[in-house]
Amino acid sequence: MAQQEDVFKKIVSHCKEYGFVFPSSDIYDGLAAVYDYGQNGVELKNNIKQYWWQSMVLLHENIVGIDAAIFMHPTTWKASGHVDAFNDPLIDNRDSKKRYRADVLIEEQMAKYEDKIQKEIEKAQKRFGDSFDEAKFRATNERVLENQKKYDDLHHRFQEVMNAPGGIDLDGMKQIILDEGIVCPISGTRNWTDVRQFNLMFKTEMGSTADGASTIYLRPETAQGIFVNYLNVQKTGRMKIPFGIAQIGKAFRNEIVARQFIFRMREFEQMEMQFFIQPGTELDWFAKWKETRMKWHQNLGFGAENYRFHDHDKLAHYANAATDIEFRMPFGFKEVEGIHSRTNFDLSQHAKYSGKKIEYFDPETNESYTPYVIETSIGVDRMFLSIMCHSYEEQVLPDGQTRTVLHLPAALAPVKLAVFPLTKKDGMPEKAQEIINDLRFHFNCKYEEKDQIGKRYRRMDAIGCPYCVTVDQQTLQDNTVTLRDRDTMEQHRVAISDLRSIIEDKVSITSLLKKLL
Ligand code: ATP
């Protein structure tokens, strides 16, 4: 684990050193849980967004996009339930003065029991080899049974307090923390305050105070911008159910604990799609979207074993089924995307609070109803982090040297092709520029002439550039160049005129999209 934390620290500093992610307002020592994307980060982020947007809007005839404002009428948040219920339970440790999410402390405790079980299984697997029967081992091994019981008991109690009839049972939550002997990781003590609810929405004021300013909120999710535009889009686009509305945009949450770099930010970006359906069909569509979204993730080639679904114990106030897609980060399996069956909660609430009729008239059955909704909601920044974590490698080469390489999927890489003149003489720089001038309309290219070729390769490895081309003496005679592959480091001689056809398909988002169909 300590080793994994080390790797994570290295990834964070790599992101800064190579222009991916900087702390916000860095010259003022940063702002907690707010980050800026640098010259390479913004390209990677844009590519992630493009991959998502196109998979939704280009590949589905019945999904369209919108771009709603961040500021919304304050009644939106009353109707959606966020003013009253968008809270996290917080708890402070009196000795370290550190603040924690009480539910997260309990979930981490459950994960510890799961880890212990997993370790026993792995040990036994090694010992017994092929003859290992996991189901039997789980049913009979004493240590596994003991930890499984602890896990089940805790899980049961946790569910009870989270789903208590009058809302989360805060005293019950504190009692679990005390009974489990959970200590503050900083002070190591159990000197906890009571658990309190904390609303995560940022408030500000619109209008000057003289003419009666009103309190408005920075949106904590982009979804409400879609719900309040349901009628506009359905009518003007003449959309027939089932149909979806997709949106990418900023969201803001005053997170209690902001740790783990861009995993939990106070300003972040979401890619959300609300899919409007006929009531009664929601569980089928929920299953379908789970599958579609998992495929989108696995299409990046990071290995199916690094993903899992995690069904929610506590459903949000609007949902009747919910799951997370989790990815194996260096700090464990963590949520990257949520898929929620939101019933007709939001549209009904907006109808109630606005006094407008928000329904769908089905021309085939001559019936009107309030559509149900399946939502897919993914954080751009968490996706970015998962890609960085998976791609980062410190590779020991046969000659004993180490290179740091980002094995980014080529279609997402910020720079697709770097072109180097071997030396700054004999017209090589001009030839290299000529190649770039020709290819820059098709994908992102970079020219580099500083330092020895080896160093230039390393710099490109570090930003995940999949291809490098070197112009040398032979190029000037026969118009061929060496083309180097980032992952294999192999070099081939190819004709300049073939470069586009060799590279373009591999680095385009289209190539990823085609694999989804
Ligand atoms: P968590 O349980 O981690 O707080 P959540 O369940 O509240 O997340 P959702 O409301 O389902 O998250 O939001 C959908 C997606 O938005 C998440 O899967 C995540 O990728 C992203 N997201 C949510 N909160 C943050 C945040 N503070 N920083 C970065 N991304 C976030």
Side-chain angles (χ1 to χ4, degrees), residues 58-101:
L58 282 192
L59 299 193
H60 295 94
E61 269 168 42
N62 58 350
I63 298 181
V64 292
I66 62 162
D67 183 18
I70 288 171
F71 290 146
M72 299 183 72
H73 192 287
T75 309
T76 308
W77 305 110
K78 197 71 198 147
S80 68
H82 284 81
V83 172
D84 297 320
F86 194 54
N87 301 316
D88 275 344
L90 69 85
I91 189 165
D92 294 289
N93 183 272
R94 291 198 185 90
D95 300 321
S96 66
K97 310 266 183 285
K98 287 278 172 207
R99 183 160 280 184
Y100 298 89
R101 261 175 65 178

mmCIF file of all heavy atoms in Angstrom, residues 58-101:
data_model
loop_
_atom_site.group_PDB
_atom_site.id
_atom_site.type_symbol
_atom_site.label_atom_id
_atom_site.label_comp_id
_atom_site.label_asym_id
_atom_site.label_seq_id
_atom_site.Cartn_x
_atom_site.Cartn_y
_atom_site.Cartn_z
ATOM 1 N N LEU A 58 -23.045 11.298 -31.510
ATOM 2 C CA LEU A 58 -22.861 10.814 -32.887
ATOM 3 C C LEU A 58 -23.388 9.395 -33.056
ATOM 4 O O LEU A 58 -23.965 9.061 -34.087
ATOM 5 C CB LEU A 58 -21.378 10.796 -33.271
ATOM 6 C CG LEU A 58 -20.690 12.093 -33.646
ATOM 7 C CD1 LEU A 58 -19.337 11.792 -34.265
ATOM 8 C CD2 LEU A 58 -21.529 12.880 -34.641
ATOM 9 N N LEU A 59 -23.170 8.577 -32.037
ATOM 10 C CA LEU A 59 -23.524 7.157 -32.202
ATOM 11 C C LEU A 59 -24.983 6.831 -31.867
ATOM 12 O O LEU A 59 -25.420 5.720 -32.074
ATOM 13 C CB LEU A 59 -22.595 6.262 -31.368
ATOM 14 C CG LEU A 59 -21.102 6.315 -31.696
ATOM 15 C CD1 LEU A 59 -20.373 5.158 -31.031
ATOM 16 C CD2 LEU A 59 -20.836 6.277 -33.200
ATOM 17 N N HIS A 60 -25.704 7.798 -31.291
ATOM 18 C CA HIS A 60 -27.115 7.540 -30.979
ATOM 19 C C HIS A 60 -27.987 8.580 -31.673
ATOM 20 O O HIS A 60 -27.894 9.762 -31.360
ATOM 21 C CB HIS A 60 -27.373 7.629 -29.470
ATOM 22 C CG HIS A 60 -26.678 6.575 -28.687
ATOM 23 N ND1 HIS A 60 -25.442 6.773 -28.118
ATOM 24 C CD2 HIS A 60 -27.035 5.305 -28.380
ATOM 25 C CE1 HIS A 60 -25.075 5.666 -27.500
ATOM 26 N NE2 HIS A 60 -26.023 4.758 -27.648
ATOM 27 N N GLU A 61 -28.832 8.109 -32.560
ATOM 28 C CA GLU A 61 -29.703 9.059 -33.264
ATOM 29 C C GLU A 61 -30.679 9.738 -32.322
ATOM 30 O O GLU A 61 -31.170 10.826 -32.593
ATOM 31 C CB GLU A 61 -30.499 8.317 -34.336
ATOM 32 C CG GLU A 61 -29.761 8.322 -35.658
ATOM 33 C CD GLU A 61 -30.370 7.368 -36.640
ATOM 34 O OE1 GLU A 61 -31.617 7.309 -36.714
ATOM 35 O OE2 GLU A 61 -29.602 6.672 -37.320
ATOM 36 N N ASN A 62 -30.983 9.071 -31.196
ATOM 37 C CA ASN A 62 -31.984 9.631 -30.286
ATOM 38 C C ASN A 62 -31.359 10.339 -29.075
ATOM 39 O O ASN A 62 -31.993 10.487 -28.053
ATOM 40 C CB ASN A 62 -32.957 8.537 -29.826
ATOM 41 C CG ASN A 62 -32.212 7.397 -29.144
ATOM 42 O OD1 ASN A 62 -30.987 7.341 -29.182
ATOM 43 N ND2 ASN A 62 -32.949 6.495 -28.520
ATOM 44 N N ILE A 63 -30.089 10.747 -29.200
ATOM 45 C CA ILE A 63 -29.487 11.552 -28.118
ATOM 46 C C ILE A 63 -28.975 12.862 -28.712
ATOM 47 O O ILE A 63 -28.252 12.858 -29.716
ATOM 48 C CB ILE A 63 -28.340 10.807 -27.415
ATOM 49 C CG1 ILE A 63 -28.867 9.527 -26.755
ATOM 50 C CG2 ILE A 63 -27.684 11.699 -26.356
ATOM 51 C CD1 ILE A 63 -27.816 8.715 -26.011
ATOM 52 N N VAL A 64 -29.369 13.965 -28.089
ATOM 53 C CA VAL A 64 -28.904 15.281 -28.536
ATOM 54 C C VAL A 64 -28.227 15.973 -27.349
ATOM 55 O O VAL A 64 -28.421 15.573 -26.209
ATOM 56 C CB VAL A 64 -30.067 16.166 -29.051
ATOM 57 C CG1 VAL A 64 -30.656 15.612 -30.337
ATOM 58 C CG2 VAL A 64 -31.158 16.317 -27.983
ATOM 59 N N GLY A 65 -27.474 17.022 -27.659
ATOM 60 C CA GLY A 65 -26.757 17.711 -26.590
ATOM 61 C C GLY A 65 -27.337 19.079 -26.283
ATOM 62 O O GLY A 65 -28.082 19.650 -27.087
ATOM 63 N N ILE A 66 -26.998 19.608 -25.092
ATOM 64 C CA ILE A 66 -27.285 21.011 -24.783
ATOM 65 C C ILE A 66 -26.106 21.566 -23.980
ATOM 66 O O ILE A 66 -25.229 20.818 -23.551
ATOM 67 C CB ILE A 66 -28.581 21.232 -23.954
ATOM 68 C CG1 ILE A 66 -28.479 20.540 -22.588
ATOM 69 C CG2 ILE A 66 -29.808 20.811 -24.704
ATOM 70 C CD1 ILE A 66 -29.509 21.068 -21.589
ATOM 71 N N ASP A 67 -26.133 22.885 -23.782
ATOM 72 C CA ASP A 67 -25.136 23.517 -22.924
ATOM 73 C C ASP A 67 -25.871 24.560 -22.085
ATOM 74 O O ASP A 67 -26.077 25.684 -22.517
ATOM 75 C CB ASP A 67 -24.048 24.174 -23.789
ATOM 76 C CG ASP A 67 -22.950 24.791 -22.944
ATOM 77 O OD1 ASP A 67 -22.839 24.436 -21.757
ATOM 78 O OD2 ASP A 67 -22.208 25.640 -23.478
ATOM 79 N N ALA A 68 -26.304 24.155 -20.898
ATOM 80 C CA ALA A 68 -27.100 25.045 -20.038
ATOM 81 C C ALA A 68 -26.175 25.903 -19.167
ATOM 82 O O ALA A 68 -25.012 25.555 -18.948
ATOM 83 C CB ALA A 68 -28.015 24.201 -19.144
ATOM 84 N N ALA A 69 -26.722 27.006 -18.662
ATOM 85 C CA ALA A 69 -25.937 27.915 -17.820
ATOM 86 C C ALA A 69 -25.656 27.288 -16.461
ATOM 87 O O ALA A 69 -26.396 26.413 -15.997
ATOM 88 C CB ALA A 69 -26.700 29.218 -17.627
ATOM 89 N N ILE A 70 -24.571 27.747 -15.836
ATOM 90 C CA ILE A 70 -24.235 27.267 -14.487
ATOM 91 C C ILE A 70 -25.218 27.837 -13.462
ATOM 92 O O ILE A 70 -25.686 27.148 -12.571
ATOM 93 C CB ILE A 70 -22.779 27.667 -14.150
ATOM 94 C CG1 ILE A 70 -21.811 26.813 -14.968
ATOM 95 C CG2 ILE A 70 -22.509 27.525 -12.642
ATOM 96 C CD1 ILE A 70 -20.366 27.228 -14.897
ATOM 97 N N PHE A 71 -25.535 29.121 -13.612
ATOM 98 C CA PHE A 71 -26.525 29.735 -12.705
ATOM 99 C C PHE A 71 -27.919 29.309 -13.123
ATOM 100 O O PHE A 71 -28.253 29.357 -14.310
ATOM 101 C CB PHE A 71 -26.471 31.263 -12.810
ATOM 102 C CG PHE A 71 -25.222 31.859 -12.238
ATOM 103 C CD1 PHE A 71 -24.671 32.994 -12.812
ATOM 104 C CD2 PHE A 71 -24.615 31.323 -11.112
ATOM 105 C CE1 PHE A 71 -23.529 33.574 -12.283
ATOM 106 C CE2 PHE A 71 -23.466 31.897 -10.573
ATOM 107 C CZ PHE A 71 -22.919 33.023 -11.164
ATOM 108 N N MET A 72 -28.722 28.950 -12.143
ATOM 109 C CA MET A 72 -30.098 28.566 -12.457
ATOM 110 C C MET A 72 -31.033 29.235 -11.453
ATOM 111 O O MET A 72 -30.614 29.614 -10.361
ATOM 112 C CB MET A 72 -30.251 27.045 -12.364
ATOM 113 C CG MET A 72 -29.357 26.301 -13.342
ATOM 114 S SD MET A 72 -29.592 24.518 -13.281
ATOM 115 C CE MET A 72 -31.186 24.378 -14.054
ATOM 116 N N HIS A 73 -32.283 29.313 -11.816
ATOM 117 C CA HIS A 73 -33.253 29.901 -10.897
ATOM 118 C C HIS A 73 -33.194 29.155 -9.559
ATOM 119 O O HIS A 73 -33.200 27.917 -9.539
ATOM 120 C CB HIS A 73 -34.661 29.782 -11.502
ATOM 121 C CG HIS A 73 -35.659 30.606 -10.764
ATOM 122 N ND1 HIS A 73 -36.128 30.259 -9.510
ATOM 123 C CD2 HIS A 73 -36.247 31.781 -11.080
ATOM 124 C CE1 HIS A 73 -36.963 31.185 -9.093
ATOM 125 N NE2 HIS A 73 -37.053 32.123 -10.031
ATOM 126 N N PRO A 74 -33.132 29.895 -8.426
ATOM 127 C CA PRO A 74 -32.938 29.216 -7.132
ATOM 128 C C PRO A 74 -34.004 28.167 -6.809
ATOM 129 O O PRO A 74 -33.720 27.179 -6.112
ATOM 130 C CB PRO A 74 -32.975 30.342 -6.093
ATOM 131 C CG PRO A 74 -33.081 31.623 -6.834
ATOM 132 C CD PRO A 74 -33.149 31.357 -8.303
ATOM 133 N N THR A 75 -35.207 28.341 -7.358
ATOM 134 C CA THR A 75 -36.259 27.348 -7.058
ATOM 135 C C THR A 75 -35.890 25.969 -7.628
ATOM 136 O O THR A 75 -36.346 24.942 -7.125
ATOM 137 C CB THR A 75 -37.623 27.823 -7.624
ATOM 138 O OG1 THR A 75 -37.842 29.152 -7.177
ATOM 139 C CG2 THR A 75 -38.765 26.945 -7.146
ATOM 140 N N THR A 76 -35.048 25.948 -8.678
ATOM 141 C CA THR A 76 -34.593 24.669 -9.233
ATOM 142 C C THR A 76 -34.085 23.760 -8.124
ATOM 143 O O THR A 76 -34.392 22.563 -8.070
ATOM 144 C CB THR A 76 -33.399 24.910 -10.203
ATOM 145 O OG1 THR A 76 -33.752 25.906 -11.142
ATOM 146 C CG2 THR A 76 -32.976 23.639 -10.900
ATOM 147 N N TRP A 77 -33.295 24.350 -7.220
ATOM 148 C CA TRP A 77 -32.601 23.532 -6.209
ATOM 149 C C TRP A 77 -33.506 23.175 -5.029
ATOM 150 O O TRP A 77 -33.231 22.243 -4.295
ATOM 151 C CB TRP A 77 -31.310 24.235 -5.754
ATOM 152 C CG TRP A 77 -30.464 24.526 -6.951
ATOM 153 C CD1 TRP A 77 -30.193 25.745 -7.494
ATOM 154 C CD2 TRP A 77 -29.842 23.556 -7.813
ATOM 155 N NE1 TRP A 77 -29.433 25.609 -8.630
ATOM 156 C CE2 TRP A 77 -29.198 24.268 -8.848
ATOM 157 C CE3 TRP A 77 -29.754 22.159 -7.823
ATOM 158 C CZ2 TRP A 77 -28.487 23.638 -9.870
ATOM 159 C CZ3 TRP A 77 -29.045 21.524 -8.833
ATOM 160 C CH2 TRP A 77 -28.427 22.266 -9.839
ATOM 161 N N LYS A 78 -34.554 23.973 -4.869
ATOM 162 C CA LYS A 78 -35.576 23.623 -3.881
ATOM 163 C C LYS A 78 -36.328 22.397 -4.439
ATOM 164 O O LYS A 78 -36.518 21.394 -3.750
ATOM 165 C CB LYS A 78 -36.511 24.837 -3.745
ATOM 166 C CG LYS A 78 -37.377 24.888 -2.554
ATOM 167 C CD LYS A 78 -36.614 25.174 -1.270
ATOM 168 C CE LYS A 78 -37.515 24.765 -0.121
ATOM 169 N NZ LYS A 78 -36.785 24.263 1.027
ATOM 170 N N ALA A 79 -36.742 22.514 -5.718
ATOM 171 C CA ALA A 79 -37.510 21.435 -6.356
ATOM 172 C C ALA A 79 -36.707 20.137 -6.419
ATOM 173 O O ALA A 79 -37.236 19.055 -6.165
ATOM 174 C CB ALA A 79 -37.928 21.863 -7.765
ATOM 175 N N SER A 80 -35.433 20.238 -6.745
ATOM 176 C CA SER A 80 -34.616 19.026 -6.937
ATOM 177 C C SER A 80 -34.304 18.342 -5.614
ATOM 178 O O SER A 80 -33.817 17.204 -5.602
ATOM 179 C CB SER A 80 -33.307 19.385 -7.625
ATOM 180 O OG SER A 80 -32.509 20.155 -6.739
ATOM 181 N N GLY A 81 -34.512 19.068 -4.514
ATOM 182 C CA GLY A 81 -34.221 18.478 -3.202
ATOM 183 C C GLY A 81 -32.835 18.821 -2.691
ATOM 184 O O GLY A 81 -32.481 18.467 -1.566
ATOM 185 N N HIS A 82 -32.045 19.525 -3.496
ATOM 186 C CA HIS A 82 -30.667 19.788 -3.067
ATOM 187 C C HIS A 82 -30.579 20.755 -1.879
ATOM 188 O O HIS A 82 -29.673 20.640 -1.065
ATOM 189 C CB HIS A 82 -29.831 20.320 -4.242
ATOM 190 C CG HIS A 82 -29.440 19.249 -5.203
ATOM 191 N ND1 HIS A 82 -30.294 18.778 -6.172
ATOM 192 C CD2 HIS A 82 -28.301 18.531 -5.335
ATOM 193 C CE1 HIS A 82 -29.685 17.826 -6.862
ATOM 194 N NE2 HIS A 82 -28.475 17.654 -6.380
ATOM 195 N N VAL A 83 -31.503 21.712 -1.796
ATOM 196 C CA VAL A 83 -31.433 22.666 -0.679
ATOM 197 C C VAL A 83 -31.639 21.923 0.644
ATOM 198 O O VAL A 83 -30.938 22.156 1.627
ATOM 199 C CB VAL A 83 -32.489 23.796 -0.838
ATOM 200 C CG1 VAL A 83 -32.537 24.656 0.426
ATOM 201 C CG2 VAL A 83 -32.176 24.646 -2.065
ATOM 202 N N ASP A 84 -32.568 20.967 0.637
ATOM 203 C CA ASP A 84 -32.865 20.262 1.892
ATOM 204 C C ASP A 84 -32.037 18.999 2.103
ATOM 205 O O ASP A 84 -31.790 18.617 3.238
ATOM 206 C CB ASP A 84 -34.356 19.876 1.932
ATOM 207 C CG ASP A 84 -35.234 21.127 1.923
ATOM 208 O OD1 ASP A 84 -34.841 22.090 2.608
ATOM 209 O OD2 ASP A 84 -36.261 21.126 1.219
ATOM 210 N N ALA A 85 -31.618 18.369 1.008
ATOM 211 C CA ALA A 85 -31.068 17.023 1.213
ATOM 212 C C ALA A 85 -29.677 16.769 0.632
ATOM 213 O O ALA A 85 -29.179 15.652 0.739
ATOM 214 C CB ALA A 85 -32.036 15.989 0.653
ATOM 215 N N PHE A 86 -29.044 17.796 0.023
ATOM 216 C CA PHE A 86 -27.725 17.508 -0.563
ATOM 217 C C PHE A 86 -26.646 17.709 0.502
ATOM 218 O O PHE A 86 -25.864 18.651 0.485
ATOM 219 C CB PHE A 86 -27.474 18.398 -1.777
ATOM 220 C CG PHE A 86 -26.321 17.929 -2.617
ATOM 221 C CD1 PHE A 86 -26.267 16.631 -3.106
ATOM 222 C CD2 PHE A 86 -25.284 18.785 -2.943
ATOM 223 C CE1 PHE A 86 -25.205 16.190 -3.883
ATOM 224 C CE2 PHE A 86 -24.222 18.361 -3.722
ATOM 225 C CZ PHE A 86 -24.183 17.057 -4.187
ATOM 226 N N ASN A 87 -26.678 16.798 1.478
ATOM 227 C CA ASN A 87 -25.798 16.929 2.639
ATOM 228 C C ASN A 87 -24.866 15.733 2.728
ATOM 229 O O ASN A 87 -25.196 14.651 2.277
ATOM 230 C CB ASN A 87 -26.634 16.922 3.924
ATOM 231 C CG ASN A 87 -27.646 18.043 3.927
ATOM 232 O OD1 ASN A 87 -27.337 19.165 3.563
ATOM 233 N ND2 ASN A 87 -28.867 17.727 4.340
ATOM 234 N N ASP A 88 -23.732 15.947 3.375
ATOM 235 C CA ASP A 88 -22.874 14.840 3.767
ATOM 236 C C ASP A 88 -22.759 14.866 5.282
ATOM 237 O O ASP A 88 -22.705 15.947 5.875
ATOM 238 C CB ASP A 88 -21.474 15.005 3.151
ATOM 239 C CG ASP A 88 -21.410 14.441 1.743
ATOM 240 O OD1 ASP A 88 -22.319 13.669 1.374
ATOM 241 O OD2 ASP A 88 -20.459 14.777 1.019
ATOM 242 N N PRO A 89 -22.682 13.673 5.913
ATOM 243 C CA PRO A 89 -22.505 13.655 7.367
ATOM 244 C C PRO A 89 -21.028 13.873 7.708
ATOM 245 O O PRO A 89 -20.173 13.148 7.211
ATOM 246 C CB PRO A 89 -22.952 12.239 7.748
ATOM 247 C CG PRO A 89 -22.782 11.428 6.514
ATOM 248 C CD PRO A 89 -22.825 12.339 5.330
ATOM 249 N N LEU A 90 -20.731 14.901 8.506
ATOM 250 C CA LEU A 90 -19.319 15.147 8.827
ATOM 251 C C LEU A 90 -19.035 14.905 10.297
ATOM 252 O O LEU A 90 -19.922 15.009 11.148
ATOM 253 C CB LEU A 90 -18.913 16.555 8.414
ATOM 254 C CG LEU A 90 -19.452 17.761 9.152
ATOM 255 C CD1 LEU A 90 -18.632 18.066 10.385
ATOM 256 C CD2 LEU A 90 -19.402 18.964 8.222
ATOM 257 N N ILE A 91 -17.786 14.579 10.579
ATOM 258 C CA ILE A 91 -17.353 14.346 11.962
ATOM 259 C C ILE A 91 -15.938 14.911 12.104
ATOM 260 O O ILE A 91 -15.152 14.834 11.162
ATOM 261 C CB ILE A 91 -17.410 12.827 12.306
ATOM 262 C CG1 ILE A 91 -17.173 12.592 13.795
ATOM 263 C CG2 ILE A 91 -16.420 12.019 11.501
ATOM 264 C CD1 ILE A 91 -17.574 11.184 14.260
ATOM 265 N N ASP A 92 -15.650 15.539 13.251
ATOM 266 C CA ASP A 92 -14.309 16.102 13.472
ATOM 267 C C ASP A 92 -13.577 15.292 14.528
ATOM 268 O O ASP A 92 -14.194 14.806 15.470
ATOM 269 C CB ASP A 92 -14.416 17.544 13.968
ATOM 270 C CG ASP A 92 -14.995 18.465 12.914
ATOM 271 O OD1 ASP A 92 -14.297 18.740 11.943
ATOM 272 O OD2 ASP A 92 -16.164 18.882 13.053
ATOM 273 N N ASN A 93 -12.270 15.221 14.366
ATOM 274 C CA ASN A 93 -11.455 14.658 15.443
ATOM 275 C C ASN A 93 -10.927 15.830 16.255
ATOM 276 O O ASN A 93 -10.290 16.735 15.710
ATOM 277 C CB ASN A 93 -10.306 13.827 14.863
ATOM 278 C CG ASN A 93 -9.481 13.181 15.955
ATOM 279 O OD1 ASN A 93 -8.533 13.765 16.464
ATOM 280 N ND2 ASN A 93 -9.856 11.979 16.360
ATOM 281 N N ARG A 94 -11.214 15.810 17.569
ATOM 282 C CA ARG A 94 -10.875 16.983 18.390
ATOM 283 C C ARG A 94 -9.369 17.162 18.542
ATOM 284 O O ARG A 94 -8.901 18.277 18.747
ATOM 285 C CB ARG A 94 -11.500 16.833 19.789
ATOM 286 C CG ARG A 94 -13.012 16.933 19.786
ATOM 287 C CD ARG A 94 -13.541 17.234 21.185
ATOM 288 N NE ARG A 94 -14.985 17.221 21.184
ATOM 289 C CZ ARG A 94 -15.723 16.136 21.420
ATOM 290 N NH1 ARG A 94 -15.127 14.982 21.687
ATOM 291 N NH2 ARG A 94 -17.036 16.194 21.389
ATOM 292 N N ASP A 95 -8.604 16.105 18.443
ATOM 293 C CA ASP A 95 -7.162 16.230 18.652
ATOM 294 C C ASP A 95 -6.432 16.735 17.408
ATOM 295 O O ASP A 95 -5.625 17.649 17.485
ATOM 296 C CB ASP A 95 -6.578 14.886 19.098
ATOM 297 C CG ASP A 95 -7.220 14.444 20.410
ATOM 298 O OD1 ASP A 95 -7.435 15.332 21.264
ATOM 299 O OD2 ASP A 95 -7.525 13.252 20.548
ATOM 300 N N SER A 96 -6.757 16.150 16.262
ATOM 301 C CA SER A 96 -6.042 16.584 15.038
ATOM 302 C C SER A 96 -6.741 17.778 14.399
ATOM 303 O O SER A 96 -6.191 18.413 13.515
ATOM 304 C CB SER A 96 -6.001 15.445 14.022
ATOM 305 O OG SER A 96 -7.305 15.159 13.561
ATOM 306 N N LYS A 97 -7.989 18.067 14.834
ATOM 307 C CA LYS A 97 -8.818 19.119 14.234
ATOM 308 C C LYS A 97 -9.123 18.809 12.763
ATOM 309 O O LYS A 97 -9.424 19.699 11.979
ATOM 310 C CB LYS A 97 -8.161 20.515 14.318
ATOM 311 C CG LYS A 97 -7.669 20.901 15.699
ATOM 312 C CD LYS A 97 -8.741 21.707 16.440
ATOM 313 C CE LYS A 97 -8.288 22.188 17.794
ATOM 314 N NZ LYS A 97 -8.249 21.120 18.812
ATOM 315 N N LYS A 98 -8.999 17.540 12.387
ATOM 316 C CA LYS A 98 -9.285 17.165 10.998
ATOM 317 C C LYS A 98 -10.749 16.755 10.872
ATOM 318 O O LYS A 98 -11.332 16.194 11.791
ATOM 319 C CB LYS A 98 -8.393 15.992 10.560
ATOM 320 C CG LYS A 98 -6.962 16.403 10.339
ATOM 321 C CD LYS A 98 -6.785 17.010 8.964
ATOM 322 C CE LYS A 98 -5.411 17.597 8.808
ATOM 323 N NZ LYS A 98 -5.295 18.681 7.873
ATOM 324 N N ARG A 99 -11.285 17.051 9.687
ATOM 325 C CA ARG A 99 -12.692 16.782 9.427
ATOM 326 C C ARG A 99 -12.811 15.594 8.467
ATOM 327 O O ARG A 99 -12.045 15.483 7.512
ATOM 328 C CB ARG A 99 -13.281 18.038 8.803
ATOM 329 C CG ARG A 99 -14.730 17.978 8.542
ATOM 330 C CD ARG A 99 -15.289 19.373 8.408
ATOM 331 N NE ARG A 99 -15.509 19.981 9.709
ATOM 332 C CZ ARG A 99 -16.060 21.181 9.879
ATOM 333 N NH1 ARG A 99 -16.410 21.898 8.827
ATOM 334 N NH2 ARG A 99 -16.257 21.676 11.079
ATOM 335 N N TYR A 100 -13.784 14.736 8.713
ATOM 336 C CA TYR A 100 -13.976 13.550 7.865
ATOM 337 C C TYR A 100 -15.448 13.375 7.510
ATOM 338 O O TYR A 100 -16.318 13.889 8.217
ATOM 339 C CB TYR A 100 -13.530 12.278 8.603
ATOM 340 C CG TYR A 100 -12.071 12.290 8.961
ATOM 341 C CD1 TYR A 100 -11.633 12.833 10.162
ATOM 342 C CD2 TYR A 100 -11.116 11.791 8.078
ATOM 343 C CE1 TYR A 100 -10.288 12.868 10.488
ATOM 344 C CE2 TYR A 100 -9.769 11.815 8.390
ATOM 345 C CZ TYR A 100 -9.362 12.368 9.595
ATOM 346 O OH TYR A 100 -8.027 12.411 9.893
ATOM 347 N N ARG A 101 -15.673 12.632 6.428
ATOM 348 C CA ARG A 101 -17.043 12.205 6.145
ATOM 349 C C ARG A 101 -17.283 10.938 6.929
ATOM 350 O O ARG A 101 -16.557 9.952 6.754
ATOM 351 C CB ARG A 101 -17.217 11.954 4.649
ATOM 352 C CG ARG A 101 -17.871 13.136 3.960
ATOM 353 C CD ARG A 101 -17.933 12.946 2.505
ATOM 354 N NE ARG A 101 -18.804 11.836 2.109
ATOM 355 C CZ ARG A 101 -19.034 11.520 0.840
ATOM 356 N NH1 ARG A 101 -18.469 12.230 -0.120
ATOM 357 N NH2 ARG A 101 -19.828 10.529 0.532
#
